[in-house]
Amino acid sequence: MKDVIFDEQKQTEKSSYNPDVLSCLANLSNDEVFTPPEVANAMLDMLPQEIFSDKNAKFFDPACKSGVFLREIAKRLLVGLEKEIPDLQERVTHIFKKQLFAIAITELTSLLSRRSVYCSKDASGKYSVTEFENPEGNIFYKPAKHLWINGKCLHCGASQKEYGEEQRQGLETHAYQFIHNAIPGELENMKFDVIIGNPPYQLSTGGSKAQSVPIYDKFVFQAIKLKPRYLTMIIPARWYAGGMGLDKFRKEMLSKNRLKTLVDFPNAEECFPGIQLRGGCCYFLWEKDYSGKCHYTNIIDNSKNISYRNLSDYEIFIRYNQSTNIIEKIKDKTSENLCDLVSSVSPFGFGTSERGDTNKFDGCYSLYTSQGIFYIKKNKIKTNISLADSYKVMITRPISGNMEIPPFKVIALIKTLRPREVCTHTYLTIGSFKKEINTHNLEKYLNTRFLRFLLVQSLSGLDISKEKFRFVPLQDFTSSSDIDWTKSIPEIDTQLYKKYELSEEEIKFIESMIRPME
């Protein structure tokens, strides 16, 4: 009898280290991350456990890679259905044929999944835990095709230059069946109780990794269309603040109040050892018939902070539970934020590669770039001519360092620009003043831990942008301000803490999250 494969307690005493092959596979890729068994089980723990005693319940993984979800579900069903179906082989046959279904994302992962779930890559073979009529069993895979319209796939947004048939000869096309209207006929009209998975995360646009477009949201939307009772997936957490086409997804996730549980890892390595995923990751339980607060857990350095949250309180999702009270205190005192003073991306119309002359000349403007200062004519400035002739503060647009493990720096460079000084797309500008002293006061404000902490609450990607300052209260940068800008940065922080009536515990949290600027 093949029941030995389901009993992980029956290991030989000769082996001192016997790692699960699925744990080893978990760090093979950064785009299509394999799920460790312990993470799969943590996700299954969120479901009502009586579902594993229901012989009619159907489970579906639409992005199967290693088969870990089906395998761990099978273990639970084998226990839960023991009384109703006492015969082991009968129980095994019922579970694998009637309850577990999947679509693999590639031909290779379909073979791997069948080997993991059925103990045989050929589900109809004699070594399979139960013999199917066909080699694929209930783990389906069939190559799908992109539908190109104006160089982009209508279904997933992939670039034809990157994923077209001519470019992908002999390679995977990444046209995933589940989101390309290619669901197998056997599954098309099936009603699933649970949809579970770890979908592919992104597709390259043909440029660098930073230019990749998210794709996991399309798997979640497609799963919701199938109207399961429960949906649980593990995905990147960058959707919290939207952007990159994720605004619609963020609104759907936050406003409908169907997220019953959300578990967040700012440092993805705490969930996927060996994987670096900017912005961290999360897994969730969506319930079709649920409407209410979300049981939210934020995990940092194995320390859990738990709260029940109304996810629709803000336009974006506030990641740290301790931050919500601080933001509310600030909103009670100040209604205006700093967004109105922040420039749009590429404030003067110069790309990151723009360069000018290396030597000054009469009437030139200084151009700040990532490679130093160059000099240009005024007629080269494409936008914001008046801003070019005023005092303003320049900050680097890319986030400084990682945003996974505090304390954070957040802003790499903060510098006052004088009239006739401009910058490339590498930077943003903040403010437009006639007096230099106002700019210096703003520069001090940007250096405070207080401001950079509030900026962090909106960050989930790689860059700082105008809307990320939504929680940063606007201050009076003149000499008549209620803040004494002549003081040192730490003293200004102290004034800001007092102004917004922050508690000692809240101040301690801010200063644990944000390190001083050099």
Side-chain angles (χ1 to χ4, degrees), residues 58-100:
K58 290 180 171 58
F59 301 81
F60 175 45
D61 180 354
C64 198
K65 294 186 283 291
S66 66
V68 63
F69 292 109
L70 299 190
R71 196 186 74 175
E72 299 305 317
I73 291 169
K75 291 179 183 178
R76 296 183 183 220
L77 289 171
L78 281 165
V79 175
L81 297 177
E82 187 173 6
K83 290 183 179 179
E84 190 165 359
I85 310 176
D87 181 79
L88 178 59
Q89 189 56 57
E90 183 184 346
R91 192 160 72 249
V92 167
T93 298
H94 175 83
I95 290 168
F96 285 96
K97 287 189 174 183
K98 303 292 186 182
Q99 295 190 267
L100 304 181

Side-chain angles (χ1 to χ4, degrees), residues 482-484 487 491-499:
D482 56 350
I483 301 296
D484 185 353
K487 300 294 185 180
E491 289 174 313
I492 292 172
D493 260 323
T494 299
Q495 293 180 72
L496 291 165
Y497 298 151
K498 184 176 181 180
K499 176 177 179 176

